[in-house]
Amino acid sequence: YDSEEVEVDEDPITKTAQQDSVRVGGEIDYVITVINPSNYPVTLAEMVDELSQYVEFVEGSLVVTRGPGGYTYTVDNNTITVELPNLQPGEEATITFTVTVVAAPAGGVEEAIFSTFAGAVELVDILVKEGDTVSEGQAIAQVEAMKATHDIICQSSGVVVKVHVKIGQEVDSSTPLLTIRK
């Protein structure tokens, strides 16, 4: 049997950070999910993650959760490589690890600001514009929910670099309203 590469229609890898914002010296926990979406076993799935120059891998923090198969991993020059042998059709492997933030990019760190309301609400006013300085606790937008107007409060301080939404748009807690630079 000859090996062959198989194209898949869906993205077999997702990566999420468990923290929205971290200062220098803080830690970020990442979760990477690898799935074999094909109908064929994969004899060796390899996940390679090149970490930012602003973080360092925390030795001993990597854990892989999967079915009966094992795994191996290496970290070299801030690149993590995880080998997952014999990934069966539909099998999912979850890779978790921690990094420490060692430096901030020049010009500050950008952070997306989201609605704090669960569920979809209508954006009725945007109280800031690009270039404005905002403070933690400041009202940055207003939404209509339950026939009343409610403020959306900024969770961090910084300068607004991008407004992502428009008045009248429906937003929820997964919609970035604006990006600030700290």
Side-chain angles (χ1 to χ4, degrees):
Y1 176 75
D2 292 329
S3 65
E4 64 181 272
E5 288 190 23
V6 178
E7 293 290 322
V8 293
D9 293 333
E10 48 191 271
D11 193 354
I13 299 176
T14 59
K15 179 180 180 182
T16 56
Q18 300 301 302
Q19 294 81 2
D20 292 329
S21 174
V22 177
R23 298 187 187 282
V24 173
E27 292 186 341
I28 302 172
D29 299 315
Y30 283 107
V31 177
I32 298 176
T33 303
V34 179
I35 188 166
N36 176 1
S38 75
N39 294 324
Y40 305 97
V42 175
T43 54
L44 182 62
E46 185 176 80
M47 186 286 307
V48 178
D49 189 15
E50 295 180 14
L51 300 176
S52 162
Q53 64 184 347
Y54 305 110
V55 300
E56 286 181 355
F57 175 75
V58 174
E59 197 62 45
S61 68
L62 190 136
V63 176
V64 176
T65 307
R66 64 174 292 197
Y71 68 94
T72 58
Y73 79 93
T74 58
V75 180
D76 185 35
N77 292 325
N78 245 18
T79 298
I80 299 173
T81 303
V82 178
E83 293 181 344
L84 302 162
N86 302 317
L87 200 60
Q88 298 302 307
E91 183 181 357
E92 184 175 292
T94 303
I95 302 162
T96 59
F97 62 91
T98 303
V99 297
T100 300
V101 178
V102 295
V109 177
E110 291 187 358
E111 176 183 342
I113 304 297
F114 296 87
S115 169
T116 52
F117 286 86
V121 291
E122 182 183 347
L123 187 68
V124 295
D125 201 2
I126 301 169
L127 306 174
V128 297
K129 63 185 180 312
E130 292 177 15
D132 285 355
T133 299
V134 294
S135 300
E136 183 175 351
Q138 175 181 341
I140 55 169
Q142 293 181 322
V143 295
E144 185 175 296
M146 299 178 287
K147 299 185 182 186
T149 301
H150 304 275
D151 289 339
I152 295 180
I153 304 301
C154 194
Q155 300 95 355
S156 298
S157 298
V159 176
V160 178
V161 293
K162 177 84 175 151
V163 175
H164 300 284
V165 291
K166 295 180 179 160
I167 293 173
Q169 181 178 338
E170 275 201 2
V171 298
D172 62 28
S173 61
S174 69
T175 306
L177 303 177
L178 47 99
T179 300
I180 63 168
R181 180 171 290 126
K182 298 182 186 189

